[in-house]
């Protein structure tokens, strides 16, 4: 019974950690270069959301928007006029580059989890929610090769959905800590994805120091990993 409970909890965590993707039904591939008027480009405008393309719509500050007259990607209809939608990654298409940095968008026009500014030497990378809000996690750009912000993004999404008991442990760059404890069990995960390590069973909190992702015991006293876990313990 205990083994079944451990499997159920870790499986639930794994499902929650997976990110959704836009299905692609095309076997022909996408056109390499799509030339659209500024603001008319969308990353999933053609082939059932598989490929980028050009769309039609009203531009910034244009009146008369509505169901029959939509705004361009990155804009929202407010009081009959198309205005910037700050929650859309594509809103940057309607702002001069000298006014705003250009974010990286996913295939649905939302913000990618990792957003970087500056060069490799002095630039920084930060974690963002899908609506463009800064969330926990940052790293120097030159050291952000393995940065995914997967943990910070998942934690942000769960909290935004109303969860008040999120216990995901994220590292300083927004990735997953190797050791995760939740729902009365502890297990090891792959830091970039949060997927449980294969052939490493989940254990009860009383046995968490036996896991291979926690090779160095906590020094300085007894602790409860479910309440006080920090990345410094097992690194």
């Amino acid at each position: 019974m205990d083994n079944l409970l451990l499997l159920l909890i870790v499986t639930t965590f794994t499902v929650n950690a997976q990110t959704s993707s836009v299905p692609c039904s095309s076997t022909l591939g996408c056109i390499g270069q799509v030339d659209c008027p500024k603001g008319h480009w969308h990353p999933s405008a053609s082939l059932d959301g598989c490929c980028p393309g050009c769309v039609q719509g009203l531009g910034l500050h244009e009146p008369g928007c509505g169901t029959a007259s939509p705004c361009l990607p990155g804009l929202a209809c407010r009081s009959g006029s198309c205005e910037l939608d700050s929650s859309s990654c594509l809103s940057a298409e309607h702002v001069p580059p000298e006014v705003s940095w250009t974010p990286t968008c996913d295939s649905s026009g939302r913000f990618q989890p990792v957003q970087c500014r500056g060069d490799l030497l002095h630039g920084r990378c930060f974690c963002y929610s899908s609506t463009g809000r800064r969330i926990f996690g940052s790293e120097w750009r030159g050291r952000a090769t393995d940065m995914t912000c997967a943990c910070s993004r998942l934690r942000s999404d769960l909290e935004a959905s109303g969860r008040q008991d999120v216990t995901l442990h994220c590292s300083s760059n927004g990735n997953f800590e190797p050791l995760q404890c939740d729902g009365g069990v502890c297990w090891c995960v792959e830091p970039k994805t949060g997927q449980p390590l294969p052939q490493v069973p989940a254990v009860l909190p009383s046995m968490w120091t036996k896991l291979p992702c926690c090779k160095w015991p906590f020094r300085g006293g007894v602790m409860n990993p479910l309440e006080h876990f920090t990345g410094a313990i097992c690194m």
Side-chain angles (χ1 to χ4, degrees):
M1 183 65 180
D2 289 340
N3 291 336
L4 179 61
L5 177 60
L6 297 181
L7 178 62
L8 177 61
I9 293 175
V10 175
T11 301
T12 301
F13 175 88
T14 303
V15 171
N16 287 336
Q18 294 176 346
T19 57
S20 60
S21 59
V22 177
C24 178
S25 59
S26 172
T27 58
L28 302 177
C30 301
I31 299 175
Q33 181 68 33
V34 179
D35 294 322
C36 303
K38 185 172 177 59
H40 290 252
W41 181 87
H42 193 278
S44 57
S46 62
L47 292 180
D48 295 326
C50 175
C51 298
C54 304
V55 297
Q56 298 298 318
L58 298 178
L60 183 63
H61 303 317
E62 283 195 56
C65 59
T67 304
S69 301
C71 299
L72 287 171
L75 303 178
C77 187
R78 298 192 178 98
S79 301
S81 176
C82 292
E83 306 298 335
L84 285 176
D85 181 4
S86 59
S87 66
S88 171
C89 184
L90 298 177
S91 61
E93 291 291 318
H94 306 277
V95 180
E98 62 271 15
V99 176
S100 174
W101 63 286
T102 302
T104 304
C105 310
D106 65 15
S107 60
S108 298
R110 298 172 299 186
F111 287 80
Q112 289 277 21
V114 181
Q115 301 288 337
C116 299
R117 311 181 190 187
D119 57 31
L120 288 177
L121 184 61
H122 301 102
R124 297 279 289 178
C125 294
F126 304 92
C127 296
Y128 273 76
S129 70
S130 60
T131 57
R133 179 174 58 86
R134 270 283 306 277
I135 56 179
F136 176 79
S138 64
E139 182 60 275
W140 290 104
R141 188 164 191 172
R143 299 170 54 186
T145 304
D146 295 326
M147 181 178 180
T148 65
C149 294
C151 181
S152 289
R153 172 64 75 86
L154 178 58
R155 187 181 184 103
S156 173
D157 290 344
L158 291 174
E159 291 175 345
S161 69
R163 281 277 304 272
Q164 301 295 324
D165 58 344
V166 182
T167 59
L168 295 176
H169 308 301
C170 305
S171 61
S172 61
N173 67 354
N175 290 6
F176 287 88
E177 288 285 359
L179 172 65
Q180 296 290 327
C181 294
D182 187 30
V185 294
C186 297
W187 66 98
C188 297
V189 303
E190 203 289 315
K192 290 192 293 185
T193 65
Q195 296 298 308
L197 294 184
Q199 300 180 347
V200 178
V203 300
L204 296 174
S206 59
M207 301 177 61
W208 70 285
T209 56
K210 304 297 184 182
L211 290 170
C213 54
C214 187
K215 297 179 181 178
W216 298 275
F218 175 61
R219 292 177 294 179
V222 179
M223 65 160 286
N224 180 350
L226 298 178
E227 297 178 357
H228 305 292
F229 178 81
T230 64
I233 295 170
C234 296
M235 295 180 65

